Amino acid sequence: MVDVRYREYKILLRADKFFAASQFQAFWEIAASIAEKNKVKVTTNKDGFHRLVREVLFYDTPNFDLYRNAFILRKRTFYEDGWPRNDHELTVKFRHTDLEKAAAADMSPRIIHGLTKIKFKEELLPLKDQLGGMRSLYSHNCVLTSPNIVLNQGLENIAQVFPPMANIDIHPQSSIHLVNNVAVEEIQVNAGSFDFGHGLAANATVAIWRNRASETSLIGEFAFQAKFKSYDAVHVKAKERADHFYRAVQMNAPDWVALGTTKTAMVYGIGNSGPQLEE
């Protein structure tokens, strides 16, 4: 079975907290203080509050069949000095609460144009209805970086590249469109890192997602991700310290935390009840 190589802890943040650029640093200072109180070493990056801007687009069938079947199809465009880079990032995810089902999905693309990375990670999310808890989703990802990414084709074309999508019980020529016609502007800072000891360290980000059309903020996120060679090799005490810190952030900054959704679910739910997916 494919081994988990990443653990990514995510806490969604209330959009109304990001009323100014200074709020990225304001939250980071709160998180850093909580870390220090819990014996977690904190490093703030020299350029940690330089804001990176990306456009994020989700694609799916009109009935959200990909999302309903635990797939996410996302395109990111990175900007430098206001101009888009030539290369785009296409991410295809299969996410499931069952480790074995997530690991079994073969996310290797059959046609490769550009740089390809396969990532299998455990995503840690708060409980849906209360602070201080955590739950796991296992995410099997393929990330393609290429200047030639076309997504306004049928599901059949996408499934030729990613065969697991062919198992979705819909017509193979079902069309793929931009989800809810929403273009997300993602503003992110790579604020710093946390060291949990015993060789376990995690890079941390703070971000806000905005609807470009309406210029309204959708949701924020605090995340930190650790990478390792083997899940079994992660030291028990380091893992416990990371888990404890994750819970402590929720409990000690409750006025920042947004429960009951994810960034992707927020986009899918705009203007309608949204599909139901275990997230």
Side-chain angles (χ1 to χ4, degrees):
M1 187 173 68
V2 179
D3 193 15
V4 173
R5 296 289 303 277
Y6 302 82
R7 288 192 101 215
E8 184 175 21
Y9 297 79
K10 298 180 178 181
I11 297 176
L12 292 198
L13 306 175
R14 289 171 45 187
D16 61 359
K17 285 290 188 178
F18 291 87
F19 53 81
S22 59
Q23 291 300 95
F24 290 100
Q25 186 169 352
F27 179 79
W28 176 251
E29 289 175 354
I30 292 171
S33 176
I34 296 169
E36 290 170 353
K37 291 176 181 177
N38 286 274
K39 299 180 180 180
V40 175
K41 183 180 178 181
V42 182
T43 300
T44 300
N45 291 336
K46 183 178 179 181
D47 58 348
F49 303 104
H50 170 68
R51 293 179 294 280
L52 305 173
V53 178
R54 297 179 280 197
E55 180 183 64
V56 184
L57 307 176
F58 292 88
Y59 289 85
D60 208 329
T61 68
N63 293 322
F64 303 150
D65 293 288
L66 295 182
Y67 192 77
R68 294 178 191 276
N69 286 273
F71 288 99
I72 293 172
L73 181 61
R74 183 188 72 199
K75 177 183 175 183
R76 269 180 171 159
T77 301
F78 297 80
Y79 285 76
E80 290 182 357
D81 297 325
W83 295 94
R85 295 182 190 172
N86 291 330
D87 286 346
H88 306 280
E89 179 188 272
L90 176 67
T91 299
V92 181
K93 296 185 177 186
F94 178 76
R95 296 199 297 177
H96 208 284
T97 54
D98 187 293
L99 171 61
E100 293 186 2
K101 287 184 178 180
D106 181 5
M107 300 306 294
S108 301
R110 297 300 181 266
I111 302 174
I112 300 176
H113 296 288
L115 180 65
T116 303
K117 292 182 180 179
I118 305 298
K119 296 182 177 181
F120 187 44
K121 62 183 179 180
E122 180 184 12
E123 296 183 359
L124 288 307
L125 305 172
L127 298 179
K128 294 182 178 182
D129 56 357
Q130 67 182 68
L131 297 168
M134 57 191 297
R135 55 196 174 93
S136 293
L137 271 180
Y138 296 95
S139 182
H140 210 157
N141 306 344
C142 176
V143 181
L144 299 172
T145 303
S146 171
N148 301 311
I149 294 177
V150 179
L151 293 175
N152 58 348
Q153 303 180 43
L155 179 62
E156 186 176 35
N157 299 91
I158 303 297
Q160 287 177 357
V161 182
F162 298 98
M165 289 185 175
N167 297 323
I168 299 175
D169 187 20
I170 58 172
H171 195 284
Q173 295 182 356
S174 297
S175 59
I176 300 291
H177 301 281
L178 181 63
V179 170
N180 285 329
N181 203 32
V182 172
V184 171
E185 179 184 63
E186 179 184 49
I187 304 171
Q188 177 180 295
V189 299
N190 297 327
S193 62
F194 301 110
D195 188 337
F196 302 103
H198 303 283
L200 185 67
N203 294 324
T205 61
V206 184
I208 181 71
W209 277 23
R210 295 172 53 81
N211 185 333
R212 280 195 161 182
S214 64
E215 297 186 352
T216 56
S217 294
L218 300 174
I219 197 72
E221 183 185 72
F222 168 57
F224 55 97
Q225 177 176 270
K227 181 182 179 181
F228 35 79
K229 293 183 178 180
S230 170
Y231 188 79
D232 290 339
V234 177
H235 198 282
V236 173
K237 289 186 177 180
K239 179 177 175 293
E240 288 177 349
R241 184 174 287 118
D243 291 353
H244 182 77
F245 168 62
Y246 179 68
R247 292 187 173 96
V249 173
Q250 298 176 53
M251 298 303 294
N252 289 276
D255 55 324
W256 283 80
V257 179
L259 295 177
T261 187
T262 65
K263 301 195 306 297
T264 304
M266 179 73 72
V267 172
Y268 269 84
I270 290 175
N272 54 62
S273 59
Q276 297 300 311
L277 179 68
E278 181 61 32
E279 292 201 302

